[in-house]
mmCIF file of all heavy atoms in Angstrom:
data_model
loop_
_atom_site.group_PDB
_atom_site.id
_atom_site.type_symbol
_atom_site.label_atom_id
_atom_site.label_comp_id
_atom_site.label_asym_id
_atom_site.label_seq_id
_atom_site.Cartn_x
_atom_site.Cartn_y
_atom_site.Cartn_z
ATOM 1 N N PRO B 29 102.455 37.835 74.258
ATOM 2 C CA PRO B 29 103.783 37.406 74.717
ATOM 3 C C PRO B 29 104.872 38.333 74.164
ATOM 4 O O PRO B 29 104.755 38.834 73.047
ATOM 5 C CB PRO B 29 103.932 36.004 74.130
ATOM 6 C CG PRO B 29 102.559 35.579 73.762
ATOM 7 C CD PRO B 29 101.798 36.816 73.446
ATOM 8 N N LEU B 30 105.916 38.514 74.972
ATOM 9 C CA LEU B 30 107.000 39.429 74.573
ATOM 10 C C LEU B 30 107.617 39.015 73.238
ATOM 11 O O LEU B 30 107.866 39.864 72.378
ATOM 12 C CB LEU B 30 108.092 39.412 75.646
ATOM 13 C CG LEU B 30 107.930 40.353 76.829
ATOM 14 C CD1 LEU B 30 109.063 40.159 77.799
ATOM 15 C CD2 LEU B 30 107.874 41.794 76.383
ATOM 16 N N ASP B 31 107.871 37.710 73.074
ATOM 17 C CA ASP B 31 108.547 37.296 71.848
ATOM 18 C C ASP B 31 107.643 37.445 70.613
ATOM 19 O O ASP B 31 108.126 37.565 69.497
ATOM 20 C CB ASP B 31 109.086 35.858 71.970
ATOM 21 C CG ASP B 31 108.000 34.860 72.318
ATOM 22 O OD1 ASP B 31 106.923 35.302 72.739
ATOM 23 O OD2 ASP B 31 108.241 33.652 72.171
ATOM 24 N N GLN B 32 106.327 37.478 70.852
ATOM 25 C CA GLN B 32 105.416 37.664 69.712
ATOM 26 C C GLN B 32 105.539 39.078 69.142
ATOM 27 O O GLN B 32 105.377 39.287 67.941
ATOM 28 C CB GLN B 32 103.969 37.400 70.146
ATOM 29 C CG GLN B 32 102.998 37.365 68.959
ATOM 30 C CD GLN B 32 101.562 37.267 69.415
ATOM 31 O OE1 GLN B 32 101.228 36.449 70.256
ATOM 32 N NE2 GLN B 32 100.706 38.122 68.874
ATOM 33 N N ILE B 33 105.844 40.038 70.037
ATOM 34 C CA ILE B 33 105.987 41.423 69.577
ATOM 35 C C ILE B 33 107.131 41.517 68.570
ATOM 36 O O ILE B 33 107.013 42.155 67.534
ATOM 37 C CB ILE B 33 106.234 42.353 70.783
ATOM 38 C CG1 ILE B 33 105.011 42.330 71.694
ATOM 39 C CG2 ILE B 33 106.524 43.759 70.334
ATOM 40 C CD1 ILE B 33 105.206 43.075 72.976
ATOM 41 N N SER B 34 108.248 40.853 68.907
ATOM 42 C CA SER B 34 109.398 40.952 68.007
ATOM 43 C C SER B 34 109.139 40.233 66.684
ATOM 44 O O SER B 34 109.675 40.607 65.656
ATOM 45 C CB SER B 34 110.637 40.392 68.689
ATOM 46 O OG SER B 34 110.381 39.086 69.125
ATOM 47 N N ARG B 35 108.290 39.194 66.735
ATOM 48 C CA ARG B 35 108.039 38.427 65.516
ATOM 49 C C ARG B 35 106.945 39.061 64.642
ATOM 50 O O ARG B 35 106.761 38.686 63.496
ATOM 51 C CB ARG B 35 107.608 36.996 65.874
ATOM 52 C CG ARG B 35 108.742 36.104 66.358
ATOM 53 C CD ARG B 35 108.365 34.646 66.179
ATOM 54 N NE ARG B 35 107.080 34.338 66.779
ATOM 55 C CZ ARG B 35 106.925 33.893 68.036
ATOM 56 N NH1 ARG B 35 107.975 33.689 68.778
ATOM 57 N NH2 ARG B 35 105.730 33.628 68.522
ATOM 58 N N PHE B 36 106.216 40.033 65.230
ATOM 59 C CA PHE B 36 105.034 40.567 64.555
ATOM 60 C C PHE B 36 105.337 41.048 63.135
ATOM 61 O O PHE B 36 104.577 40.801 62.213
ATOM 62 C CB PHE B 36 104.435 41.710 65.388
ATOM 63 C CG PHE B 36 103.294 42.396 64.718
ATOM 64 C CD1 PHE B 36 102.071 41.758 64.594
ATOM 65 C CD2 PHE B 36 103.440 43.659 64.172
ATOM 66 C CE1 PHE B 36 101.010 42.375 63.960
ATOM 67 C CE2 PHE B 36 102.388 44.287 63.528
ATOM 68 C CZ PHE B 36 101.173 43.642 63.424
ATOM 69 N N TYR B 37 106.479 41.733 62.999
ATOM 70 C CA TYR B 37 106.769 42.340 61.694
ATOM 71 C C TYR B 37 107.203 41.310 60.654
ATOM 72 O O TYR B 37 107.423 41.652 59.497
ATOM 73 C CB TYR B 37 107.814 43.459 61.860
ATOM 74 C CG TYR B 37 107.230 44.605 62.660
ATOM 75 C CD1 TYR B 37 107.432 44.698 64.036
ATOM 76 C CD2 TYR B 37 106.420 45.554 62.050
ATOM 77 C CE1 TYR B 37 106.858 45.710 64.772
ATOM 78 C CE2 TYR B 37 105.838 46.574 62.786
ATOM 79 C CZ TYR B 37 106.054 46.649 64.153
ATOM 80 O OH TYR B 37 105.461 47.652 64.874
ATOM 81 N N GLN B 38 107.335 40.052 61.078
ATOM 82 C CA GLN B 38 107.617 38.989 60.088
ATOM 83 C C GLN B 38 106.374 38.117 59.829
ATOM 84 O O GLN B 38 106.429 37.198 59.025
ATOM 85 C CB GLN B 38 108.740 38.067 60.595
ATOM 86 C CG GLN B 38 110.153 38.634 60.422
ATOM 87 C CD GLN B 38 110.537 39.480 61.600
ATOM 88 O OE1 GLN B 38 110.376 39.066 62.734
ATOM 89 N NE2 GLN B 38 111.040 40.679 61.329
ATOM 90 N N THR B 39 105.275 38.421 60.520
ATOM 91 C CA THR B 39 104.103 37.553 60.381
ATOM 92 C C THR B 39 103.383 37.789 59.042
ATOM 93 O O THR B 39 103.520 38.865 58.436
ATOM 94 C CB THR B 39 103.088 37.798 61.516
ATOM 95 O OG1 THR B 39 102.752 39.186 61.500
ATOM 96 C CG2 THR B 39 103.653 37.419 62.862
ATOM 97 N N ASP B 40 102.631 36.781 58.624
ATOM 98 C CA ASP B 40 101.850 36.906 57.382
ATOM 99 C C ASP B 40 100.825 38.035 57.515
ATOM 100 O O ASP B 40 100.538 38.735 56.556
ATOM 101 C CB ASP B 40 101.112 35.584 57.092
ATOM 102 C CG ASP B 40 102.098 34.490 56.731
ATOM 103 O OD1 ASP B 40 103.250 34.833 56.361
ATOM 104 O OD2 ASP B 40 101.736 33.304 56.832
ATOM 105 N N PHE B 41 100.292 38.172 58.743
ATOM 106 C CA PHE B 41 99.285 39.220 58.956
ATOM 107 C C PHE B 41 99.874 40.599 58.631
ATOM 108 O O PHE B 41 99.257 41.384 57.917
ATOM 109 C CB PHE B 41 98.785 39.180 60.407
ATOM 110 C CG PHE B 41 97.866 40.323 60.745
ATOM 111 C CD1 PHE B 41 96.562 40.345 60.236
ATOM 112 C CD2 PHE B 41 98.295 41.385 61.525
ATOM 113 C CE1 PHE B 41 95.715 41.407 60.535
ATOM 114 C CE2 PHE B 41 97.452 42.435 61.808
ATOM 115 C CZ PHE B 41 96.158 42.443 61.321
ATOM 116 N N TYR B 42 101.068 40.855 59.149
ATOM 117 C CA TYR B 42 101.689 42.162 58.893
ATOM 118 C C TYR B 42 101.982 42.321 57.405
ATOM 119 O O TYR B 42 101.727 43.379 56.819
ATOM 120 C CB TYR B 42 102.975 42.315 59.704
ATOM 121 C CG TYR B 42 103.687 43.627 59.412
ATOM 122 C CD1 TYR B 42 103.207 44.827 59.923
ATOM 123 C CD2 TYR B 42 104.814 43.664 58.582
ATOM 124 C CE1 TYR B 42 103.833 46.025 59.638
ATOM 125 C CE2 TYR B 42 105.438 44.857 58.288
ATOM 126 C CZ TYR B 42 104.948 46.034 58.819
ATOM 127 O OH TYR B 42 105.560 47.222 58.520
ATOM 128 N N GLN B 43 102.485 41.249 56.800
ATOM 129 C CA GLN B 43 102.838 41.326 55.383
ATOM 130 C C GLN B 43 101.594 41.570 54.519
ATOM 131 O O GLN B 43 101.695 42.188 53.455
ATOM 132 C CB GLN B 43 103.522 40.018 54.922
ATOM 133 C CG GLN B 43 104.852 39.721 55.638
ATOM 134 C CD GLN B 43 105.882 40.825 55.484
ATOM 135 O OE1 GLN B 43 105.873 41.559 54.519
ATOM 136 N NE2 GLN B 43 106.766 40.951 56.474
ATOM 137 N N SER B 44 100.427 41.094 55.007
ATOM 138 C CA SER B 44 99.215 41.258 54.200
ATOM 139 C C SER B 44 98.581 42.647 54.329
ATOM 140 O O SER B 44 97.618 42.962 53.621
ATOM 141 C CB SER B 44 98.180 40.199 54.617
ATOM 142 O OG SER B 44 97.729 40.496 55.925
ATOM 143 N N LEU B 45 99.102 43.459 55.232
ATOM 144 C CA LEU B 45 98.518 44.801 55.432
ATOM 145 C C LEU B 45 98.800 45.687 54.217
ATOM 146 O O LEU B 45 99.776 45.462 53.481
ATOM 147 C CB LEU B 45 99.116 45.451 56.686
ATOM 148 C CG LEU B 45 98.694 44.882 58.038
ATOM 149 C CD1 LEU B 45 99.491 45.553 59.151
ATOM 150 C CD2 LEU B 45 97.207 45.083 58.269
ATOM 151 N N ASP B 46 97.939 46.701 54.043
ATOM 152 C CA ASP B 46 98.144 47.669 52.943
ATOM 153 C C ASP B 46 99.511 48.331 53.060
ATOM 154 O O ASP B 46 99.953 48.663 54.168
ATOM 155 C CB ASP B 46 97.075 48.771 53.040
ATOM 156 C CG ASP B 46 95.776 48.331 52.409
ATOM 157 O OD1 ASP B 46 95.611 47.114 52.237
ATOM 158 O OD2 ASP B 46 94.959 49.218 52.095
ATOM 159 N N GLU B 47 100.120 48.566 51.935
ATOM 160 C CA GLU B 47 101.424 49.252 51.941
ATOM 161 C C GLU B 47 101.286 50.646 52.551
ATOM 162 O O GLU B 47 102.193 51.129 53.226
ATOM 163 C CB GLU B 47 101.974 49.366 50.511
ATOM 164 C CG GLU B 47 102.595 48.080 49.982
ATOM 165 C CD GLU B 47 103.696 47.512 50.873
ATOM 166 O OE1 GLU B 47 104.517 48.298 51.378
ATOM 167 O OE2 GLU B 47 103.710 46.286 51.104
ATOM 168 N N SER B 48 100.115 51.267 52.317
ATOM 169 C CA SER B 48 99.927 52.622 52.862
ATOM 170 C C SER B 48 99.970 52.597 54.391
ATOM 171 O O SER B 48 100.531 53.501 55.028
ATOM 172 C CB SER B 48 98.592 53.196 52.394
ATOM 173 O OG SER B 48 97.538 52.360 52.835
ATOM 174 N N LEU B 49 99.411 51.534 54.972
ATOM 175 C CA LEU B 49 99.433 51.421 56.444
ATOM 176 C C LEU B 49 100.855 51.181 56.929
ATOM 177 O O LEU B 49 101.323 51.787 57.905
ATOM 178 C CB LEU B 49 98.551 50.255 56.901
ATOM 179 C CG LEU B 49 97.086 50.547 57.175
ATOM 180 C CD1 LEU B 49 96.334 49.256 57.434
ATOM 181 C CD2 LEU B 49 96.940 51.480 58.377
ATOM 182 N N LYS B 50 101.541 50.288 56.223
ATOM 183 C CA LYS B 50 102.919 49.959 56.659
ATOM 184 C C LYS B 50 103.819 51.185 56.569
ATOM 185 O O LYS B 50 104.647 51.417 57.439
ATOM 186 C CB LYS B 50 103.459 48.811 55.789
ATOM 187 C CG LYS B 50 102.894 47.456 56.162
ATOM 188 C CD LYS B 50 103.697 46.335 55.573
ATOM 189 C CE LYS B 50 103.004 45.728 54.392
ATOM 190 N NZ LYS B 50 103.670 44.615 53.773
#
Side-chain angles (χ1 to χ4, degrees):
Chain B
L30 274 178
D31 57 345
Q32 189 187 312
I33 296 173
S34 55
R35 285 202 308 268
F36 175 72
Y37 293 95
Q38 281 87 49
T39 56
D40 292 341
F41 173 73
Y42 177 75
Q43 297 302 333
S44 68
L45 289 174
D46 278 18
E47 282 305 318
S48 60
L49 271 173
K50 284 196 256 182

